[in-house]
Amino acid sequence: MLKSKKYLVTAGPTQEAIDPVRYISNHSTGKMGYAIAAELARRGAQVILVSGPVCLPTPTGVRRIDVVSAEEMYQACVELWPQMDGAVMCAAVADYTPVSVSDVKAKKSAADLTLTLKPTRDIAAELGRTKRTDQLLVGFALETDNEKVNALSKLTRKNLDFIVLNSLRDAGAGFGGDTNKITIFSRPTDPAATSLKTEFPLETKQQAAAHIINTLSAFLK
Ligand code: CTP
């Protein structure tokens, strides 16, 4: 069913330059997104992986486009989206970026330093805004509190078909490790119904990726 379908996957962190030697980023290692790209390719999909800077090999059969900043990831995804059957937005995109980037290394001084940051553009929300009825859009929510409320708000705000929640309160979930504990909230096809919730046990990121792709496949039936 996924055979010959075209999927976009985003993965990893983004880096927002302050000057030629410094940047703002986060702890994402890209493992979850790479596992999803690998699983989609294994099931016969044509996968384009738009990746922030990570230290991982490109999964077999996957075409990888490397980007650094949130803006570069936005440009790559928005350009690819019309040719895609769906997208899984797994990247931990920086929410803010410096207003100005120094082209020389900023020198240390004794005074406090204030950085002015501006919000980045929301890639998932833009893909959701322009999504066609034949396209599927999957997002992630990494939360530390108020998990269900935040995940459901992102599900509707970004016009996703389903969202994968990770809670940093769960041991073994989140950045860096080889395991994850996910809960999937799906948008019901019946508008009168409430969202559908499926909770999975602690498992490897490969197993979690298989569950996510099973959920995606169920939408294609
Ligand atoms: N996302 C994105 N582009 C952004 C920010 C987020 O594509 N600029 C995507 C992520 O890849 C993920 C989903 O949106 O699939 C939710 O990301 P998250 O960081 O949890 O949510 P935010 O909207 O940034 O909200 P907040 O950081 O306030 O929780």
Side-chain angles (χ1 to χ4, degrees):
M1 198 182 314
L2 281 165
K3 208 150 195 73
S4 77
K5 295 262 187 218
K6 295 194 181 96
Y7 275 88
L8 166 67
V9 178
T10 67
T14 65
Q15 293 178 356
E16 310 303 317
I18 297 169
D19 69 19
V21 292
R22 305 179 180 96
Y23 59 80
I24 298 170
S25 193
N26 59 63
H27 294 299
S28 171
T29 58
K31 283 182 183 170
M32 193 65 241
Y34 274 58
I36 287 170
E39 184 64 19
L40 278 166
R42 204 180 61 74
R43 297 196 199 188
Q46 291 177 37
V47 185
I48 302 185
L49 175 61
V50 176
S51 176
V54 299
C55 298
L56 293 173
T58 307
T60 308
V62 168
R63 183 179 147 211
R64 169 169 162 184
I65 298 175
D66 287 318
V67 296
V68 176
S69 66
E71 183 58 26
E72 283 171 16
M73 189 174 274
Y74 179 94
Q75 296 290 348
C77 292
V78 165
E79 192 183 323
L80 289 163
W81 183 228
Q83 313 143 43
M84 296 291 136
D85 294 298
V88 183
M89 313 303 285
C90 203
V93 185
D95 285 333
Y96 292 92
T97 194
V99 165
S100 61
V101 184
S102 168
D103 39 354
V104 291
K105 185 184 172 197
K107 283 292 165 198
K108 184 168 63 181
S109 86
D112 290 350
L113 174 71
T114 304
L115 273 179
T116 308
L117 306 175
K118 61 180 179 192
T120 56
R121 296 200 272 185
D122 193 315
I123 307 163
E126 178 57 18
L127 302 198
R129 193 184 67 78
T130 55
K131 183 173 74 172
R132 299 186 307 261
T133 48
D134 63 320
Q135 289 176 310
L136 272 177
L137 185 59
V138 179
F140 271 73
L142 178 68
E143 307 293 341
T144 57
D145 57 291
N146 241 339
E147 288 89 343
K148 185 176 177 182
V149 170
N150 287 331
L152 289 180
S153 137
K154 286 171 194 178
L155 179 70
T156 39
R157 184 157 41 89
K158 304 191 191 212
N159 194 22
L160 308 171
D161 294 284
F162 67 91
I163 190 158
V164 183
L165 166 71
N166 300 144
S167 171
L168 281 189
R169 279 201 279 197
D170 287 325
F175 292 132
D178 291 319
T179 56
N180 208 351
K181 189 173 182 324
I182 59 166
T183 304
I184 295 181
F185 293 99
S186 300
R187 193 189 273 262
T189 33
D190 172 3
T194 53
S195 64
L196 307 167
K197 177 183 170 190
T198 320
E199 212 169 332
F200 296 92
L202 182 69
E203 54 194 359
T204 65
K205 286 188 172 167
Q206 282 68 31
Q207 288 169 323
H211 286 132
I212 292 163
I213 304 310
N214 288 343
T215 306
L216 190 149
S217 301
F219 273 84
L220 302 175
K221 278 181 191 144

